[in-house]
Amino acid sequence: MSWFGRELDRKVKGMQNTGPDLDRKYWVALVLYGVLALLVWFTMDAGTVLVHGKPVELRLLPLIILGGLALRTVLALHADRIRRGGDGDKG
C-alpha cells in the first residue's frame, strides 16, 4: 500500500465518531439549530405569501428547513445508538 493509501485510511478512521464524542456533537448541533432558529425569527420580516389561498409567514420556510435538519440529526444519533447495540439506554 502506498503512503497516500495509508494516510487516507488513517484519516477516514479518525472521522468515524461514536460514543461520548458523538453525544457531545449532538447537543452542540441542537443548540446551534436553536440559535439559528432564533436568528431567523428575529431578523426576517413577518411578510406573508398566499399558499393554497391561506396567508403563510415567510419566516416559516427557513424554520421548517432547520426543523428538518434537527430531526435528521436526532435520527442519526438514534441510528448510531442502535448500531452500537443500544448502549446508553437514554431517550
Side-chain angles (χ1 to χ4, degrees):
M1 182 182 283
S2 70
W3 174 83
F4 181 73
R6 286 190 304 265
E7 188 68 19
L8 186 60
D9 269 353
R10 185 181 64 81
K11 287 183 179 181
V12 168
K13 287 180 184 175
M15 291 172 60
Q16 298 169 349
N17 295 319
T18 58
D21 189 40
L22 188 64
D23 288 338
R24 181 180 51 84
K25 288 181 180 181
Y26 165 76
W27 288 110
V28 169
L30 287 185
V31 166
L32 290 176
Y33 285 137
V35 168
L36 284 173
L38 285 173
L39 287 173
V40 165
W41 186 260
F42 288 113
T43 58
M44 283 193 71
D45 188 20
T48 59
V49 64
L50 290 179
V51 177
H52 296 290
K54 297 180 182 178
V56 175
E57 289 188 29
L58 285 176
R59 67 175 112 181
L60 289 180
L61 179 64
L63 291 177
I64 290 170
I65 292 170
L66 286 172
L69 291 172
L71 177 65
R72 182 176 178 228
T73 302
V74 169
L75 292 176
L77 178 73
H78 286 288
D80 185 62
R81 285 183 180 166
I82 291 170
R83 276 188 234 114
R84 286 188 288 163
D87 59 346
D89 291 332
K90 290 184 256 178

